Amino acid sequence: MPEREFNNESFQTFLSEHKLMGSRCATCNTLYLPPRPMCSNCFGETMTWVEMGGRGKLRAFTVVHIATSAMIEAGYGRENPYFSGIVNLDDGPSISAQILGADPAQPEQLKIGTPLSAVFIDRGEGEEARSFLAFELKSGQ
Ligand SMILES: [Zn+2]
């Protein structure tokens, strides 16, 4: 594992490598996602990288009509809304991300507690290239 600082920039770099990485406090084992350099539980500063399994359950969600600029570039917006959700990972931490695999025109079909799997979406090209975390409904759900 390369030595990287425990911050959002490294988190993003790992996303571009299609890895979902958090940091774990070496003292009290608390997991942070995105990673943090210091533990807010015990104030320990010794962190190690942990790759998350990427499986979790939907805790909350909303349909986004007013998209962020990155999402507008990806083709989302008022005419093409998307789900944004908070996912409780089986590994412990929660993270917010786009939810794929359900129709935002029928939000009642998306259920709290639905099992999800992390996917990595590459958008843009060249220097504009960036990878985004999203979660997809598991097949058969
Ligand atoms: Zn700690």
Side-chain angles (χ1 to χ4, degrees):
M1 190 62 61
E3 288 292 321
R4 290 179 184 165
E5 290 186 52
F6 298 98
N7 57 26
N8 278 320
E9 193 184 337
S10 299
F11 178 71
Q12 186 62 43
T13 303
F14 277 122
L15 282 187
S16 71
E17 297 167 358
H18 293 192
K19 287 179 180 157
L20 182 56
M21 301 294 291
S23 68
R24 185 202 302 276
C25 173
T27 308
C28 74
N29 280 331
T30 302
L31 273 170
Y32 294 95
L33 185 73
R36 288 191 197 178
M38 192 211 238
C39 181
S40 58
N41 183 46
C42 75
F43 304 105
E45 293 184 40
T46 307
M47 290 281 175
T48 55
W49 285 108
V50 180
E51 183 166 7
M52 303 285 152
R55 291 183 180 276
K57 291 190 171 65
L58 188 63
R59 187 173 85 195
F61 67 89
T62 183
V63 179
V64 180
H65 294 269
I66 312 291
T68 60
S69 57
M71 292 302 278
I72 289 169
E73 282 176 27
Y76 294 98
R78 203 175 296 275
E79 303 297 322
N80 187 21
Y82 62 96
F83 283 116
S84 177
I86 296 172
V87 180
N88 276 349
L89 291 174
D90 293 347
D91 300 288
S94 305
I95 191 163
S96 71
Q98 185 182 2
I99 308 297
L100 300 168
D103 182 3
Q106 297 176 298
E108 67 281 0
Q109 292 187 354
L110 193 54
K111 301 270 188 281
I112 299 297
T114 296
L116 300 165
S117 298
V119 290
F120 303 92
I121 302 170
D122 301 316
R123 295 188 175 119
E125 291 181 6
E127 291 188 3
E128 303 288 304
R130 194 158 180 255
S131 298
F132 294 83
L133 177 67
F135 284 85
E136 205 168 51
L137 271 67
K138 288 191 194 173
S139 56
Q141 299 293 326

